[in-house]
Amino acid sequence: MKIITVVGARPQFIKAAAVSRAILEHNAGSNNLITESILHTGQHYDEKMSAVFFDQLEIPNPKYNLGIIEKNHGAMTGKMLEQIEMILLDERPDMLLVYGDTNSTLAGTLAAAKLHIPVAHVEAGLRSYNRSMPEEINRVMTDHLSSFLFCPTQAAVQNLNGEGIEQHIHNVGDVMYDVAMKYRSIADRRYQLEQWQVEENSYILCTVHRAENSDQKARLQSIFYALNEVAAEIPVVLPLHPRTRKMLKEFNLEYLLDPLHIIEPVSYLEMVRLEMSAKAIITDSGGIQKEAFFHKVPCLTLRDETEWVETVELGCNKICGANKDVILEKWIEICRDNDMFYFLKEGRGLPYGNGTASYKIVEVLTANDC
Ligand code: UD1
Ligand code: UDP
């Protein structure tokens, strides 16, 4: 079977690392070979936003790199669509594999669906029910055009059912959990907290990059006011996404970075190391909310809703939006609660699977060889 995998943004490299490895392992023990070629749209292009993940997570080098850097969604998605279509016409793969909810996901899906090439969507069924988010539009479109829907959670399955999608759904668990479990002890051995001048359980890890926060001055300012107050109590380490750096400059808010411990975006293993030892994580990232959960670290989410509802239902992730007072109120709540992960002692079944999602995906793909 011949597969083309489309990736473009940081979280997709991490998810693809799990499945590409499972494909290689499958090939080592089977005659039913999968030939995977990686197509990188170029959406993320800085060394620290792209190449570092390919190197560190040993992701096969992309066969194609489209180098598409565009600011506007239409131009970015349109250029990707045009170029991906040409490659698909030339390669004629049996399947296209996409991850998550970025513009690269949508462009790959549209190109393949129009050419009647089956699409397999990893991280299907996630919904925020907020259509002002570009990611929500990308997810809905992708799910409705996909032939294989690999859901990370039961809630995702129910979301699809709610939209009338009943077939070809596989609740395999979360590929990000596979990656987190694989690299946790390696990260612990390889990186020391001293490199960031912090100590175990004595700092906050923070990330901010969502368009709804970075591109609205009032929200961005309010978030950074809150972070400045938290930083008066405990160091706040923030690997700064290039989008947020650019917008802080544009809004003349760069001075709000001064009280924070700002670092460049870090590699995946460094991020895992920082996550594991943080007292809490404050983020608007989808992936990092889950990683906080995987590493048993309380999380404050700088969004008005989340797709990862299980973490909120279990009480270890608190939705804060971008309001400074709410963020600080929830910060006090998590400081007072020293047993946010009490449910782990109750032996309840946990969401996100058992760390074998990527193997299950490969099993389904090979069983349905197109
Ligand atoms: C994209 C995804 C978002 C995901 C995020 C992961 C969409 C609509 N958004 O958002 O869902 O959570 O990736 O990080 O697909 N930039 C650089 N260097 C880079 C990459 C980006 O400088 O390597 C800057 C550019 O100025 C660019 C801006 O960041 O215009 C935004 O990048 P873009 O890929 O459009 O969106 P993200 O905010 O990264
Ligand atoms: N990440 C990383 N280095 C960083 C910030 C994030 O390796 O400096 C990883 C993080 O551990 C997670 C993924 O990138 O696995 C999340 O990506 P991001 O927050 O950019 O996107 P989202 O998940 O919100 O789409």
Side-chain angles (χ1 to χ4, degrees):
M1 178 170 30
K2 183 171 170 180
I3 293 183
I4 292 208
T5 297
V6 172
V7 292
R10 174 166 66 188
Q12 295 169 325
F13 310 140
I14 293 155
K15 292 164 200 172
V19 180
S20 291
R21 179 175 299 270
I23 289 175
L24 291 176
E25 287 181 21
H26 161 85
N27 284 347
S30 165
N31 294 327
N32 183 9
L33 294 190
I34 301 177
T35 315
E36 184 193 31
S37 302
I38 295 192
L39 189 167
H40 187 334
T41 61
Q43 181 172 348
H44 284 179
Y45 47 89
D46 290 343
E47 200 270 336
K48 290 186 164 66
M49 296 292 289
S50 175
V52 68
F53 299 100
F54 283 83
D55 294 345
Q56 190 176 67
L57 304 179
E58 297 173 352
I59 306 167
N61 282 333
K63 180 168 179 184
Y64 302 97
N65 193 327
L66 307 184
I68 294 170
I69 299 170
E70 284 288 339
K71 193 170 185 300
N72 294 328
H73 288 260
M76 183 193 282
T77 314
K79 282 190 180 162
M80 288 176 187
L81 176 61
E82 194 177 355
Q83 293 196 37
I84 295 171
E85 181 182 60
M86 275 162 47
I87 293 168
L88 296 182
L89 283 170
D90 187 40
E91 290 262 4
R92 286 280 161 197
D94 300 305
M95 185 174 298
L96 188 98
L97 186 55
V98 291
Y99 295 90
D101 52 20
T102 72
N103 290 345
S104 301
T105 316
L106 177 62
T109 302
L110 265 178
K114 294 250 179 186
L115 295 172
H116 310 128
I117 295 167
V119 175
H121 183 205
V122 177
E123 218 174 69
L126 274 293
R127 294 290 182 272
S128 63
Y129 295 104
N130 174 358
R131 289 273 173 109
S132 69
M133 292 175 67
E135 292 86 359
E136 183 76 353
I137 296 168
N138 295 342
R139 290 181 198 123
V140 172
M141 299 292 289
T142 300
D143 284 338
H144 283 261
L145 292 173
S146 290
S147 305
F148 293 87
L149 296 131
F150 292 112
C151 293
T153 59
Q154 192 51 36
V157 174
Q158 280 158 4
N159 291 337
L160 292 176
N161 295 161
E163 290 172 21
I165 304 177
E166 304 277 351
Q167 306 280 315
H168 311 300
I169 298 175
H170 305 271
N171 182 357
V172 289
D174 196 319
V175 292
M176 288 188 84
Y177 185 51
D178 298 14
V179 191
M181 290 306 103
K182 179 174 167 53
Y183 286 105
R184 202 183 136 86
S185 52
I186 302 174
D188 193 25
R189 282 196 303 273
R190 197 174 296 174
Y191 294 101
Q192 308 304 319
L193 293 176
E194 293 86 73
Q195 110 177 49
W196 299 287
Q197 302 93 48
V198 290
E199 287 172 15
E200 185 78 28
N201 204 29
S202 305
Y203 63 94
I204 302 302
L205 177 65
C206 177
T207 73
V208 184
H209 78 276
R210 289 287 173 158
E212 75 248 35
N213 289 330
S214 65
D215 294 11
Q216 296 184 48
K217 184 173 181 184
R219 285 182 73 101
L220 194 61
Q221 192 166 29
S222 176
I223 288 171
F224 276 85
Y225 280 161
L227 293 176
N228 278 205
E229 292 212 9
V230 173
E233 291 173 38
I234 182 168
V236 175
V237 179
L238 197 165
L240 193 56
H241 192 290
R243 171 186 208 109
T244 313
R245 186 180 283 284
K246 207 167 85 179
M247 295 313 294
L248 284 164
K249 188 163 187 224
E250 202 165 309
F251 294 141
N252 287 320
L253 295 176
E254 274 174 311
Y255 70 96
L256 291 172
L257 295 177
D258 292 346
L260 310 176
H261 185 351
I262 300 298
I263 56 178
E264 289 290 306
V266 292
S267 69
Y268 179 71
L269 286 177
E270 289 172 293
M271 193 63 183
V272 170
R273 187 67 192 88
L274 281 165
E275 287 171 345
M276 285 165 58
S277 295
K279 178 179 169 63
I281 292 178
I282 305 182
T283 189
D284 60 6
S285 160
I288 295 168
Q289 285 174 61
K290 271 182 302 172
E291 287 167 351
F293 180 81
F294 301 157
H295 301 304
K296 306 184 186 61
V297 177
C299 184
L300 296 183
T301 291
L302 302 168
R303 288 186 43 203
D304 298 326
E305 70 282 302
T306 182
E307 302 79 37
W308 304 105
V309 290
E310 310 76 18
T311 58
V312 177
E313 283 160 10
L314 287 166
C316 48
N317 181 10
K318 294 185 184 289
I319 300 294
C320 304
N323 182 294
K324 178 191 152 201
D325 295 335
V326 178
I327 299 168
L328 293 174
E329 196 181 295
K330 304 278 181 196
W331 160 243
I332 292 168
E333 274 178 34
I334 61 170
C335 288
R336 286 195 181 137
D337 186 346
N338 49 23
D339 200 15
M340 283 183 92
F341 287 83
Y342 70 94
F343 52 85
L344 294 172
K345 295 175 215 147
E346 296 179 347
R348 284 197 225 174
L350 293 177
Y352 309 122
N354 59 6
T356 59
S358 44
Y359 297 99
K360 289 184 183 144
I361 289 169
V362 173
E363 245 172 63
V364 172
L365 294 181
T366 47
N368 292 275
D369 205 342
C370 314

